[in-house]
Amino acid sequence: MQYPEPISKLIEGFMRLPGIGPKTAARLAFYVLDMKEEDVFDFGKALVNAKRELTHCSICQHITDTDPCRICEDQTRDRSVICVVQDSKDVIAMEKMQEFRGQYHVLHGAISPVDGIGPEDIHIPDLIKRLQDETVQELIVATNPNIEGEATAMYISRLVKPTGIKVSRIAHGLPVGGDLEYADEVTLSKAIEGRQEL
Amino acid sequence: MHIEQLTYENYRNYAKTDLTFDHNVNVIIGENAQGKTNLLEAIYVLAMTKSHRTAKDKELIRWEEPFAKIQGQIKKRTGPLHLEVVFSSQGKKVKLNRLEQERISQYIGALNIVMFAPEDLRLVKGSPKERRRFIDMEMGQISPIYLYHLSQYHKILKQRNRLLKDAYSKSFDDAMLDVLTAQLIPEAAQVIRKRYDFLNKLQVWANDIHEQISRGLEHLKIEYVPSAEVSNSMNLSTLEEKLQEQFNSVIDQEKRRATTLVGPHRDDLRFIVNDKNVQTYGSQGQQRTVALSLKLAEIELIHEQVKEYPILLLDDVLSELDDHRQSHLLSTIQGKVQTFVTTTSVDGIDHKTLNEAELFRVENGEVVKKK
Ligand SMILES: Nc1ncnc2c1ncn2[C@@H]1O[C@H](COP(=O)(O)OP(=O)(O)OP(=O)(O)O)[C@@H](O)[C@H]1O
Ligand SMILES: [Mg+2]
Ligand SMILES: [Zn+2]
């Protein structure tokens, strides 16, 4: 079907979002056309601002509007443990469960030669730098329990082990091949309890 | 198990088909290029979620149509079961009792089939790839855990091969290769161990059947030919140790050739009849008998494992077998294995079987029951 250019551009925009196919994108686009102009304007501004005003924390790489982020700034948190996760949304999932009181390190990805992603592409050098400070004594690797996440965990473990820092991997309750994001909170907290040394 | 009802839509050269089966032997008859193999293939796809003759799912969708859908109502020892497979531009979806399954390995095995098609005569003579495909397909049906390890293995292998392609670049990281090797080894050991176990069992049935078909003159042995120095007697941890040793010794060669050189993806099967390798020394007839023995052995093995006979699909092969082999095949299925046979003519098919069979005539994507 041939749409006028502004509409097809909007449809294309929606299709870049995860889980949205051409049909849904078209439905959303036509919905937007029927919205009040000020609502559309607010929505557009929210999109742009979220992108502009959020950066990655210079310490942990979590998305934040202040640098360092609130978690890194929080003096009451335990600075001897760092939990390594793949995505910022994993930090949010962990924080919701309110069990973990240490620091985070967000990789923004996992090692995958097939996708051209190596260790230096996912903030592993930054992590190693953070470990040079004596305060860190334990690393919990909470990358996704799929092949890329496991490889990333093994790689980090091999790198860090010789420094004497304890490295553990969350172990139980997570569906094999699944994403951390989909695990419910109960399974997540079990996973943290049952962590194993790598 | 039995297929009671088979329906498909926008599949191959069929618009819409709805068939019920209440006989053990079903003969599908028609001229060339009318859709006989397509019908058998539909049953195969319903069981395996992919075709036996193409790797491209898209080819299953009727030309100019957006999707293809195959459904089956199955009667099993454990109760009725409804299966559904849909192919579209968004990929494939599978449902068990109308419930979508996220992983294919949860679906495969619900319906067990054994197919014998002209291509299977190549099992002995063809490339190692075809023999690996044979063993993977057969094992996948009875062991979801095998399928799981095999797919993990292939995913890691793909990563490792990709990494090896950059072995001579500046950024190449040996620690990363070690990690992928360490990840690959336990999966490789699982796949190899399970293949040995499967072949040990298949061997017993296959030899038994082969001796019967050859009137006691020939003995059949199936050998696993591993690319690594491993053997049937090794347990998982020994297999892992051996594989690690092998990887250590081929690492430079792997970097040079930019690919993984040991592991189940390079293993093969060998068929020995009376102490001679049939692949090199066997006559055409002997190779055909080996292929038949293997297929009949599979039927028995599936029965042993899942306590139920699979469905047998015979595409164009009945007329290719001589009377003796044909009657052996037919006596095996007699009254216990639901069978679908395609043929261009009923000449050359055993009369008794034909009398008990239900006939379906296929013409240009239409199926009519004849009695
Ligand atoms: N995706 C498709 N859409 C429409 N028609 C298709 C599609 N794929 C295959 N066909 C047609 O299906 C027919 C082949 O059917 P099939 O392979 O079942 O033949 P057959 O009856 O087994 O013949 P033979 O006796 O030669 O083996 C061909 O005419 C082919 O063009
Ligand atoms: Mg055919
Ligand atoms: Zn931070």
Side-chain angles (χ1 to χ4, degrees):
Chain A
M1 204 178 301
Q2 193 71 45
Y3 296 117
E5 160 107 14
I7 304 178
S8 38
K9 269 220 151 124
L10 187 55
I11 293 175
E12 256 177 58
F14 280 122
M15 276 171 65
R16 279 194 209 121
L17 302 174
I20 295 189
K23 267 200 193 142
T24 312
R27 198 162 51 85
L28 291 173
F30 281 101
Y31 185 83
V32 170
L33 294 184
D34 287 338
M35 278 164 67
K36 273 195 269 160
E37 184 164 338
E38 57 189 276
D39 287 347
V40 176
F41 189 74
D42 286 347
F43 181 43
K45 219 164 92 185
L47 280 176
V48 175
N49 287 351
K51 184 69 198 168
R52 274 206 195 129
E53 289 165 18
L54 290 181
T55 50
H56 290 173
C57 168
S58 55
I59 300 173
C60 72
Q61 310 299 333
H62 183 37
I63 44 158
T64 176
D65 54 351
T66 63
D67 191 17
C69 74
R70 292 187 175 78
I71 297 171
C72 288
E73 283 282 34
D74 188 342
Q75 297 301 324
T76 69
R77 298 186 72 117
D78 183 355
R79 282 167 192 272
S80 68
V81 196
I82 294 180
C83 178
V84 182
V85 296
Q86 269 181 233
D87 289 299
S88 273
K89 55 187 192 301
D90 298 330
V91 173
I92 291 158
M94 298 270 281
E95 283 299 285
K96 229 164 76 189
M97 134 199 152
Q98 295 191 344
E99 293 252 329
F100 180 68
R101 293 291 300 156
Q103 308 284 110
Y104 292 98
H105 192 84
V106 186
L107 298 172
H108 294 287
I111 299 175
S112 173
V114 171
D115 302 304
I117 301 172
E120 62 294 340
D121 301 314
I122 55 165
H123 301 287
I124 289 181
D126 296 329
L127 175 66
I128 303 303
K129 239 181 266 153
R130 284 180 78 183
L131 300 181
Q132 277 154 9
D133 178 352
E134 309 265 293
T135 45
V136 182
Q137 281 154 30
E138 185 182 356
L139 219 55
I140 300 169
V141 186
T143 49
N144 296 348
N146 54 21
I147 282 163
E148 293 77 22
E150 292 294 345
T152 308
M154 279 163 85
Y155 184 84
I156 292 173
S157 160
R158 277 172 195 231
L159 229 57
V160 174
K161 264 277 172 73
T163 65
I165 292 170
K166 187 176 163 207
V167 186
S168 54
R169 170 105 177 99
I170 53 166
H172 299 296
L174 287 174
V176 181
D179 281 274
L180 199 51
E181 192 197 347
Y182 295 120
D184 59 55
E185 287 156 41
V186 184
T187 14
L188 259 181
S189 81
K190 243 201 246 140
I192 286 277
E193 279 165 29
R195 65 195 190 236
Q196 289 174 344
E197 204 162 326
L198 276 176
Chain B
M1 55 188 79
H2 278 250
I3 303 181
E4 294 181 320
Q5 189 181 21
L6 178 72
T7 58
Y8 43 83
E9 208 180 322
N10 296 335
Y11 158 79
R12 290 284 193 190
N13 65 330
Y14 291 91
K16 209 164 182 161
T17 303
D18 187 346
L19 299 167
T20 50
F21 305 109
D22 35 36
H23 283 61
N24 237 330
V25 178
N26 302 279
V27 177
I28 293 124
I29 183 163
E31 307 277 298
N32 296 128
Q34 299 305 305
K36 301 185 300 297
T37 301
N38 291 348
L39 198 165
L40 247 55
E41 184 189 42
I43 300 174
Y44 188 97
V45 173
L46 193 64
M48 309 297 267
T49 79
K50 59 175 135 190
S51 164
H52 66 292
R53 49 179 178 171
T54 174
K56 297 191 195 100
D57 290 344
K58 244 181 79 183
E59 289 174 20
L60 300 174
I61 304 173
R62 191 169 200 235
W63 300 326
E64 320 286 332
E65 297 292 345
F67 71 91
K69 185 187 212 170
I70 307 172
Q71 290 171 283
Q73 184 63 46
I74 318 295
K75 198 172 108 194
K76 288 181 76 163
R77 191 175 51 92
T78 46
L81 187 65
H82 185 269
L83 301 180
E84 179 180 318
V85 185
V86 179
F87 299 93
S88 72
S89 55
Q90 265 121 58
K92 72 180 149 207
K93 283 200 171 122
V94 295
K95 288 185 187 171
L96 275 183
N97 280 341
R98 325 245 171 213
L99 222 73
E100 191 170 334
Q101 305 293 306
E102 283 205 30
R103 258 176 280 150
I104 300 290
S105 60
Q106 293 170 326
Y107 176 92
I108 292 179
L111 173 62
N112 298 120
I113 44 120
V114 169
M115 181 176 234
F116 195 30
E119 303 92 78
D120 288 310
L121 298 171
R122 285 206 312 259
L123 197 59
V124 178
K125 260 287 191 224
S127 68
K129 199 173 167 185
E130 287 175 76
R131 285 181 288 278
R132 281 194 295 270
R133 187 171 173 279
F134 161 76
I135 191 169
D136 290 343
M137 287 305 221
E138 303 320 330
M139 289 182 68
Q141 286 196 66
I142 46 181
S143 171
I145 189 88
Y146 175 77
L147 215 54
Y148 169 76
H149 287 299
L150 187 70
S151 93
Q152 292 290 99
Y153 177 79
H154 279 288
K155 282 184 202 159
I156 304 167
L157 183 68
K158 206 169 141 195
Q159 294 283 15
R160 194 173 184 275
N161 284 342
R162 186 68 201 74
L163 189 71
L164 281 166
K165 296 237 176 335
D166 297 328
Y168 294 114
S169 78
K170 287 196 297 295
S171 60
F172 183 76
D173 187 344
D174 277 296
M176 196 53 222
L177 184 60
D178 286 348
V179 163
L180 290 178
T181 309
Q183 247 187 329
L184 193 67
I185 286 174
E187 301 298 343
Q190 287 281 1
V191 170
I192 294 172
R193 185 61 259 161
K194 289 190 159 52
R195 282 181 180 174
Y196 273 128
D197 293 341
F198 172 77
L199 290 175
N200 290 344
K201 289 192 195 120
L202 190 72
Q203 150 80 37
V204 177
W205 285 110
N207 180 46
D208 215 45
I209 292 162
H210 195 90
E211 283 178 353
Q212 286 174 41
I213 302 178
S214 65
R215 301 186 170 92
L217 293 174
E218 293 182 359
H219 311 282
L220 171 64
K221 224 169 88 193
I222 310 170
E223 285 178 359
Y224 191 63
V225 188
S227 53
E229 282 165 29
V230 295
S231 75
N232 204 341
S233 60
M234 293 177 184
N235 62 16
L236 279 178
S237 61
T238 319
L239 282 172
E240 289 186 13
E241 269 167 46
K242 283 281 167 194
L243 284 164
Q244 184 65 63
E245 277 172 29
Q246 294 270 269
F247 276 116
N248 292 344
S249 69
V250 296
I251 182 83
D252 291 328
Q253 215 183 330
E254 286 193 321
K255 284 182 180 173
R256 243 178 293 125
R257 302 200 18 206
T259 192
T260 302
L261 293 175
V262 279
H265 68 294
R266 294 179 83 98
D267 295 354
D268 197 0
L269 300 178
R270 196 187 286 143
F271 307 107
I272 310 288
V273 169
N274 293 350
D275 300 321
K276 290 251 173 8
N277 187 347
V278 206
Q279 194 182 1
T280 32
Y281 297 108
S283 70
Q284 276 230 322
Q286 274 178 319
Q287 292 174 1
R288 197 166 287 188
T289 310
V290 169
L292 182 62
S293 304
L294 287 172
K295 291 289 166 172
L296 296 181
E298 262 177 65
I299 295 179
E300 297 299 341
L301 190 60
I302 290 175
H303 178 246
E304 183 185 291
Q305 298 282 307
V306 307
K307 313 279 177 267
E308 203 159 11
Y309 280 104
I311 283 147
L312 178 64
L313 308 173
L314 298 172
D315 191 17
D316 269 348
V317 282
L318 222 44
S319 52
E320 293 215 22
L321 299 171
D322 62 27
D323 283 353
H324 177 64
R325 293 198 186 86
Q326 212 186 97
S327 68
H328 198 91
L329 176 69
L330 295 170
S331 74
T332 308
I333 63 178
Q334 213 55 258
K336 52 188 189 188
V337 183
Q338 191 187 25
T339 306
F340 296 82
V341 186
T342 68
T343 183
T344 44
S345 110
V346 290
D347 307 342
I349 298 184
D350 180 77
H351 274 294
K352 194 168 148 283
T353 312
L354 212 55
N355 283 341
E356 290 164 12
E358 184 153 42
L359 254 59
F360 295 83
R361 177 163 289 282
V362 176
E363 215 177 301
N364 193 20
E366 301 275 347
V367 191
V368 236
K369 241 190 226 196
K370 308 201 320 180
K371 192 61 234 188

